[in-house]
Amino acid sequence: MFPSDRLPLVERYAALLAGAGVERGLIGPREVPRLWDRHVLNSAVLSEWVPPSVSVCDIGSGAGLPGLVLALARPDVQVSLVEPLLRRTTFLDEVVDELGLAEQVEVVRARAEEVHGRRRFDVVTSRAVAPLERLLGWSMPLVAPEGALLAMKGSSVAEEVERSRSDLAAWRCAEPEIGRLGESVLEEATWVLRVAWDDPSSVSWPPQRPDAAAAGRKTSASRRGRRQQRPRGRR
């Protein structure tokens, strides 16, 4: 699951999670005994669905799961860890420096929405960040026309997709793909959802929900109408 020369780095990262990660409240103390299977290896299997030599944005990265683990597993990808909380980005900066990953991994202190319109990525990852309807709004504006969202989800992911059909249609997404990764190596396989654009050639930049764009035009027209109806003062 990891290149042999990176195993010491993975072990050091796990030790940092179990130490400073717990002390700073990024990982619960009860998670330490199952750190490898539930967090590290659970995140590493996501690399099965990541194409070679792509750019990856991990939103709501927290302690670096899955983005930092993905970087360790795949030296060929460039990873941006997007996280708004200072104590988390401080931890991530320290880990990146200690593991010598500065040329491959960048830490961005921001909400996903603050990156919209500034950057786009081949893959946008997340792990238990939000329900799909909200996750689409945060992730799809960051997804390049030929790229995809990869979200680590729970076993009820199929039901979540069905509840979000109208949102998927509004964003003009292709039919989502659901997969179970790591069944041969993990005690509990990882559920992953992949969402791509339905028609990459029609994706504007930055992408916006068509209904949201229509609402914006309607609001602007309404404001113009109100300005035109205002009585003019005496000169």
Side-chain angles (χ1 to χ4, degrees):
M1 298 178 70
F2 296 96
S4 58
D5 62 336
R6 290 213 160 180
L7 287 177
L9 301 182
V10 180
E11 292 173 345
R12 180 57 186 153
Y13 173 57
L16 290 169
L17 282 177
V22 172
E23 293 167 7
R24 301 184 194 183
L26 278 67
I27 292 288
R30 295 182 179 179
E31 296 301 309
V32 173
R34 50 187 182 179
L35 193 61
W36 280 93
D37 191 72
R38 187 179 178 88
H39 298 287
V40 178
L41 300 180
N42 175 271
S43 297
V45 296
L46 188 63
S47 66
E48 295 179 26
W49 276 20
V50 175
S53 304
V54 296
S55 59
V56 177
C57 176
D58 185 37
I59 66 170
S61 195
L65 304 165
L68 193 50
V69 175
L70 184 60
L72 289 166
R74 293 285 300 277
D76 61 305
V77 304
Q78 291 292 317
V79 179
S80 297
L81 307 176
V82 176
E83 168 58 49
L85 295 184
L86 178 60
R87 64 185 174 88
R88 294 175 180 171
T89 56
T90 299
F91 174 80
L92 292 173
D93 279 326
E94 292 172 357
V95 172
V96 169
D97 287 342
E98 181 161 341
L99 300 185
L101 298 176
E103 293 186 2
Q104 183 192 6
V105 180
E106 67 169 339
V107 179
V108 180
R109 188 188 172 199
R111 297 189 302 272
E113 306 96 298
E114 295 174 312
V115 188
H116 292 177
R118 293 165 42 197
R119 304 274 299 276
R120 58 181 173 181
F121 303 87
D122 301 309
V123 176
V124 177
T125 61
S126 59
R127 182 178 188 254
V129 167
L132 182 56
E133 57 267 22
R134 272 191 286 155
L135 191 61
L136 290 170
W138 294 341
S139 302
M140 295 311 292
L142 298 172
V143 176
E146 299 290 344
L149 170 163
L150 287 183
M152 298 174 66
K153 289 287 186 179
S155 58
S156 60
V157 59
E159 289 84 350
E160 189 173 351
V161 168
E162 291 305 315
R163 291 195 301 269
S164 303
R165 285 292 178 187
S166 60
D167 297 280
L168 289 162
W171 278 104
R172 298 178 182 175
C173 296
E175 179 64 23
E177 299 176 49
I178 298 172
R180 293 189 72 192
L181 306 182
E183 290 184 285
S184 62
V185 293
L186 299 177
E187 291 184 11
E188 189 173 328
T190 299
W191 287 95
V192 178
L193 173 69
R194 183 182 186 275
V195 180
W197 297 107
D198 184 44
D199 181 8
S201 65
S202 68
V203 177
S204 60
W205 192 255
Q208 188 178 26
R209 277 177 56 129
D211 54 350
R217 290 193 296 269
K218 184 177 180 180
T219 300
S220 298
S222 176
R223 288 173 179 168
R224 288 196 298 272
R226 288 198 298 270
R227 285 198 297 268
Q228 292 169 359
Q229 293 171 8
R230 289 173 183 168
R232 296 181 179 178
R234 294 182 180 178
R235 293 183 179 179

